Amino acid sequence: MATKLFLMLILLSHVASSLSELCHPQDKMALLQIKKELNNPTILSSWKPHTDCCKIWNGVNCFRSKNRVGYLTISHDNNLRSKFPLSIGNLPYLESIFFYHLPNLTGPIPIEPISKLLKLKTLTISSTGMSGTIPDFPAQMKNLFNLDLSSNHFSGSLPPSLFKLPKLEMIRFYNNSLTGSIPSSYGYFNKKNLPSLLLSDNQLYGKLPLSLARLNTTVIDLSYNKFEGDASMLFGSNKATREIHISNNLFKFDLGKVELSKTMTTLDVSHNQIYGKFPMGIENISWLNVSYNRMCGKIPKGGNMHIFGVNSFFHNRCLCGSPLPNCK
């Protein structure tokens, strides 16, 4: 009798355990398949079939109200050797993917499974060994607002249809091997989102499209590329721009004729062929570098100008005044 009672208690405990599990069976199956596709890395050793994926699985977070996986983080593993897991498309409630510092995660971005994730808001694939071209993410991914593909080995041209993603606010493609010019469509992002466009440290080239005059962005970083010609369309007094970084290119335009936004805090135009005088309002900027250009005239006084040293101004054609030598 005691033995039967003991066995019944064990059975009831298993039933209670299964009923209290938060992890949805479909999500657990998908995660276990992802682990298999990633070649069972040590970092995922907590992903065990008989445990609750929403409670103790490393890098997995769930929506308690839905019992569905909403966030997936896999990062900092030099021993993980595989391609991007295709089964990630079987997590329909996923809102955030964060794959970071996985140098042996290789291959292209599998757009077909990722495009199934209609609730996805954040896609981070950064500091990996992944390569190939950056795909055009389909407009059906209407909730995507943060796209971080920085510090990988992606090549080819910029995907032209990103502007169709209505909520996209952050584009981080810096430190790759991207080539070609900026598509004219990039001037047609949703202005209400104030998207930030970070494309530095690539091999992009050519002239900027005039349509970028429409782009109302918070931060734009085109530094360390091979762009040329006019970049004045990036400026504008009615824009909400806080930072413009265009250093180490071949830009050539009159800086004195641009209009700075009232929100501007940072301007780095160093190492170009920019000429002219300083624009009005430059003294309100908190960080400035115009070195290695062809500018002329007297350095303005007042505002924040006293905080900038020689390095912010030297190697120009004929700038003068503090902190450079006095004007003659």
Side-chain angles (χ1 to χ4, degrees):
M1 183 69 180
T3 302
K4 289 183 178 179
L5 182 60
F6 178 71
L7 292 174
M8 185 174 292
L9 289 172
I10 291 177
L11 178 61
L12 288 173
S13 68
H14 279 295
V15 171
S17 176
S18 62
L19 290 175
S20 65
E21 183 170 339
L22 295 177
C23 189
H24 192 281
Q26 178 185 331
D27 292 354
K28 176 180 276 191
M29 186 181 301
L31 289 169
L32 289 172
Q33 183 61 30
I34 288 171
K35 179 182 178 181
K36 182 178 180 181
E37 291 173 10
L38 293 174
N39 296 316
N40 300 304
T42 304
I43 195 173
L44 302 184
S45 59
S46 63
W47 293 21
K48 297 178 180 178
H50 301 296
T51 58
D52 191 338
C53 76
C54 290
K55 290 182 178 180
I56 61 173
W57 286 23
N58 182 37
V60 178
N61 288 282
C62 301
F63 298 111
R64 292 301 178 98
S65 60
K66 304 172 185 175
N67 291 354
R68 304 305 297 256
V69 173
Y71 307 89
L72 180 61
T73 299
I74 302 175
S75 65
H76 293 89
D77 189 342
N78 292 342
N79 297 316
L80 186 154
R81 298 177 182 274
S82 71
K83 295 187 177 181
F84 196 91
L86 301 181
S87 295
I88 206 162
N90 296 327
L91 295 170
Y93 285 83
L94 203 59
E95 289 190 2
S96 177
I97 298 172
F98 189 81
F99 281 21
Y100 175 71
H101 200 88
L102 302 171
N104 294 304
L105 181 70
T106 58
I109 297 174
I111 190 59
E112 184 176 351
I114 290 177
S115 64
K116 294 179 181 178
L117 304 174
L118 301 184
K119 297 183 182 297
L120 194 66
K121 296 179 179 179
T122 298
L123 175 60
T124 296
I125 303 172
S126 181
S127 299
T128 75
M130 292 184 67
S131 58
T133 59
I134 296 177
D136 248 333
F137 292 83
Q140 68 196 46
M141 299 181 70
K142 59 183 179 181
N143 291 304
L144 189 65
F145 73 86
N146 187 351
L147 182 55
D148 184 354
L149 304 178
S150 60
S151 300
N152 296 293
H153 301 282
F154 295 123
S155 58
S157 58
L158 293 167
S161 297
L162 288 182
F163 76 101
K164 294 181 180 180
L165 298 172
K167 295 184 179 179
L168 195 60
E169 294 182 9
M170 181 61 71
I171 303 166
R172 295 184 174 100
F173 292 169
Y174 60 84
N175 196 20
N176 279 287
S177 298
L178 301 174
T179 56
S181 58
I182 295 179
S184 60
S185 61
Y186 278 33
Y188 295 89
F189 283 104
N190 190 337
K191 290 184 178 182
K192 295 180 180 179
N193 294 346
L194 300 177
S196 292
L197 185 62
L198 309 182
L199 303 177
S200 63
D201 293 276
N202 278 286
Q203 299 170 30
L204 298 166
Y205 56 83
K207 296 182 178 181
L208 301 185
L210 294 177
S211 61
L212 292 188
R214 299 182 73 261
L215 186 64
N216 192 9
T217 181
T218 305
V219 179
I220 186 162
D221 190 348
L222 308 180
S223 57
Y224 291 92
N225 280 288
K226 300 175 182 177
F227 292 117
E228 61 186 59
D230 191 4
S232 63
M233 77 287 290
L234 301 178
F235 298 82
S237 59
N238 294 323
K239 294 187 176 184
T241 310
R242 294 201 308 263
E243 299 182 23
I244 292 180
H245 304 263
I246 58 173
S247 67
N248 290 271
N249 280 285
L250 299 169
F251 287 122
K252 186 176 182 180
F253 63 97
D254 188 343
L255 186 64
K257 292 184 178 180
V258 306
E259 295 182 345
L260 302 180
S261 70
K262 296 178 177 63
T263 56
M264 182 82 74
T265 63
T266 302
L267 178 61
D268 187 354
V269 301
S270 61
H271 293 268
N272 279 287
Q273 300 171 23
I274 294 169
Y275 56 91
K277 299 180 179 180
F278 288 94
M280 290 183 62
I282 195 72
E283 66 276 2
N284 298 320
I285 286 181
S286 303
W287 200 95
L288 175 68
N289 193 344
V290 299
S291 63
Y292 290 93
N293 277 293
R294 299 176 179 178
M295 295 182 63
C296 260
K298 187 176 181 179
I299 297 173
K301 296 180 179 180
N304 295 322
M305 298 304 290
H306 68 281
I307 68 176
F308 305 125
V310 172
N311 291 351
S312 293
F313 305 103
F314 67 175
H315 289 280
N316 272 281
R317 178 167 291 170
C318 50
L319 285 181
C320 59
S322 180
L324 296 181
N326 292 331
C327 300
K328 296 180 180 179

